[in-house]
Structure formats: C-alpha cells, structure tokens
Amino acid sequence: MSRSRKITEDVIQRWRAEGRGSGTGQCYKPWLEVHDFSSDGIVNRVHSTKLGRVVHLLSTVESCTFYGLEWQETISGIYEQYPLDRQLTLEIASKLGIRHPYYPGTHVPTVMTVDFLITRVNDSAPSFEAYDCKMTADAENEREIEKLAIARTYFSGMDIPHRLIFDTKIPKQKIKNIEWIRDGIIKSGEDKSYTELLRDRTIRMANELKSTRNIPLRDYCHSFEVRHGLRAGDGLRIAKILMNERVLLCNLNNPDLATCPLRAFRLNMTSHYDFSIAAM
C-alpha cells in the first residue's frame, strides 16, 4: 500500500488543525484516512452504528480485527489509526538504539500510529488497550519488529496493554458470521417508515421464537415474511438485528447460521425487549 502524497511538516500541521487523531465517540477523527492512500482494494470505510461514525480501515487484517472488537459488548470506544506522541516515540527510539521511522523520501519523522486504541468497560473504571494488526510474515521482518518495540515501550510506560493480532490467528468463521449479522442492522439514512416497520417486527419475531422449532432459520424467516406481509429478505434481516442486539444468541463458529435449525439458537430473556407483548 503506497502513499498517494508526500507527507511534510506542513501536511502534519494541517492534519492536526483538522482535528485528526482527536475527538471522542462519534466525533473522533483518525490520524490516517483511507483517501491518504492509493486505492488497491485493501482500504475500507465502514459505518459503525455502535460508534456512530465511519471507521477507516487500512488492511484486511484491520477490518477483521475491527469487526471482532466492535462485536464485544464490553468495548465502548474504538479509535483507529490513533497517533502516538512523536516527541516521545523519538525519545524511545533513541533509548532503544532503533532508527525512528521517517516518511518516504523525506527527513520528516513519522507520526507513528497504533491500529486501534480501545476503551473497555469493566466492573471498575474503564481501561485502555492497544492493538496492532500484522501479517504473520511481519513477525520475521526486523524493521517491523523494531517499530513494534517502540510502540510496545510507549504503551508500557502508560500501563496500557499492547496486543498483536496476526492474520493467521483471526477466527475467520466468527468474523465471517459477524459481518453477515452486521450487514442486516438498520443503517443511517434508511426510510424511516421502513425501519419503524422492521423495529415493530423484531418484537413480534422475538415473541414467536420463544417456542422452539426445528425448522432452519432461513425457512422460518421466509414463513415470517409471508405471515407478516414483508418483502423477501426482510425476515432474515430481522433475525440479524435480533442477533446483533444479543436477543437471539448463536454460536458464531457455525459455518452457516442461515441453515441452522432454530433449536441451535437461544433467546435472551434478559434483553431490553418486551416479551410480554403477544406475537400477532
């Protein structure tokens, strides 16, 4: 992945003025955005309903890691392409005897970033964790190891765990299922009357699913569409909404959730849904 422009101190100052690498919640702006790179089919912009904004992902490994992080209910904040304090990384590199990275073709020290800085809500105070996403081959790349050593020392000094995610360690079936589920969630900009209809039908489906059935989820959803006057595909989409909101619980290791019998799913009776409403 090559840069589409030369990074100078003027560019860095302009990015800072734009608020890159700052903000919280839906107002966060990553330090690096997908349009800062040439298009090669790897970068990705994904809207996150949980975060309330578009997330910038610069590799396939980052995309898979993001889906896994976003799915976790204990994670309340995700800050991608989070910048590290450049003066501090320069000092760390000097102490470690490592050449600090510079932008290609310049004498400008790189503003190093961590792929994800996340906040996790525990029983006690919220805590931070840092994640870098790498290909397995990077584990044998001396230069990549040096840069990771700078990042590890940086976060160690802040008492923040720094974790590595390698492509070969990603639970691919789980991530595939998470992508499949999140594809059905209600998106910003959709017709309000249509989304209200979907919301109403999620309550009805949740009530119907209290009775365990042996038919496959896909067949049940088709039947639900016919009985409730919905268009093709809406039944399965409603089931995905219920799964995303942890009302309908499933095993994400299953190779094909749509063909699973309903007995493979479990209804979460402690969810926010009002199960006292009779299914119609």
Side-chain angles (χ1 to χ4, degrees):
M1 186 162 57
S2 59
R3 292 189 179 278
S4 57
R5 65 173 111 174
K6 178 179 285 189
I7 307 300
T8 65
E9 288 292 350
D10 286 342
V11 171
I12 291 172
Q13 293 306 315
R14 184 167 68 251
W15 285 359
R16 285 176 175 157
E18 292 173 359
R20 292 210 195 185
S22 64
T24 58
Q26 64 181 14
C27 296
Y28 172 73
K29 288 178 64 70
W31 180 253
L32 299 175
E33 300 180 343
V34 296
H35 54 255
D36 297 324
F37 299 86
S38 58
S39 177
D40 57 8
I42 295 176
V43 296
N44 194 14
R45 295 172 78 253
V46 177
H47 184 270
S48 171
T49 301
K50 181 175 185 175
L51 303 179
R53 62 179 180 83
V54 171
V55 177
H56 293 250
L57 305 166
L58 307 185
S59 71
T60 301
V61 186
E62 283 187 23
S63 294
C64 291
T65 300
F66 170 73
Y67 295 137
L69 293 172
E70 183 193 45
W71 180 259
Q72 297 179 48
E73 294 182 285
T74 57
I75 292 180
S76 60
I78 302 175
Y79 303 93
E80 78 278 16
Q81 322 310 331
Y82 190 83
L84 311 188
D85 183 294
R86 185 166 57 164
Q87 187 56 46
L88 187 51
T89 59
L90 283 164
E91 292 174 6
I92 291 171
S94 177
K95 290 179 180 178
L96 295 177
I98 295 174
R99 179 172 56 89
H100 192 281
Y102 285 75
Y103 291 110
T106 76
H107 297 290
V108 179
T110 301
V111 176
M112 297 182 66
T113 60
V114 66
D115 292 332
F116 298 103
L117 180 68
I118 66 101
T119 52
R120 189 180 296 277
V121 179
N122 302 305
D123 293 334
S124 56
S127 60
F128 290 98
E129 297 171 16
Y131 290 82
D132 269 315
C133 308
K134 299 294 180 182
M135 300 296 290
T136 301
D138 292 333
E140 299 179 0
N141 183 308
E142 182 177 355
R143 186 56 181 151
E144 288 297 324
I145 293 172
E146 288 179 343
K147 289 188 288 186
L148 286 171
I150 296 173
R152 184 173 61 248
T153 304
Y154 182 97
F155 287 107
S156 176
M158 299 180 178
D159 200 25
I160 295 176
H162 179 241
R163 313 186 194 285
L164 295 181
I165 304 293
F166 288 101
D167 61 312
T168 53
K169 298 299 183 180
I170 290 174
K172 293 182 173 56
Q173 186 59 58
K174 284 186 176 181
I175 298 303
K176 182 179 178 181
N177 281 328
I178 290 171
E179 287 188 76
W180 180 78
I181 290 169
R182 79 187 303 280
D183 184 57
I185 62 179
I186 294 173
K187 301 171 180 65
S188 175
E190 288 195 84
D191 180 74
K192 185 177 180 180
S193 60
Y194 173 61
T195 58
E196 287 177 348
L197 174 67
L198 289 179
R199 277 292 173 199
D200 174 72
R201 296 307 190 269
T202 57
I203 298 173
R204 300 187 185 193
M205 181 179 285
N207 276 281
E208 284 191 13
L209 290 172
K210 287 190 292 185
S211 301
T212 303
R213 307 164 190 232
N214 290 327
I215 64 172
L217 176 66
R218 178 176 287 155
D219 292 351
Y220 163 75
C221 289
H222 174 69
S223 170
F224 186 87
E225 292 165 358
V226 173
R227 287 182 286 106
H228 294 281
L230 300 172
R231 63 191 190 188
D234 280 350
L236 198 55
R237 184 178 185 185
I238 290 168
K240 291 179 180 180
I241 293 172
L242 290 173
M243 283 184 263
N244 184 67
E245 297 185 353
R246 307 306 199 277
V247 178
L248 188 62
L249 305 179
C250 60
N251 182 353
L252 291 175
N253 287 311
N254 195 293
D256 190 353
L257 290 174
T259 61
C260 281
L262 291 186
R263 65 175 181 274
F265 298 86
R266 182 168 60 87
L267 203 62
N268 178 13
M269 301 300 291
T270 64
S271 70
H272 67 279
Y273 275 63
D274 185 359
F275 292 100
S276 64
I277 299 174
M280 294 186 288

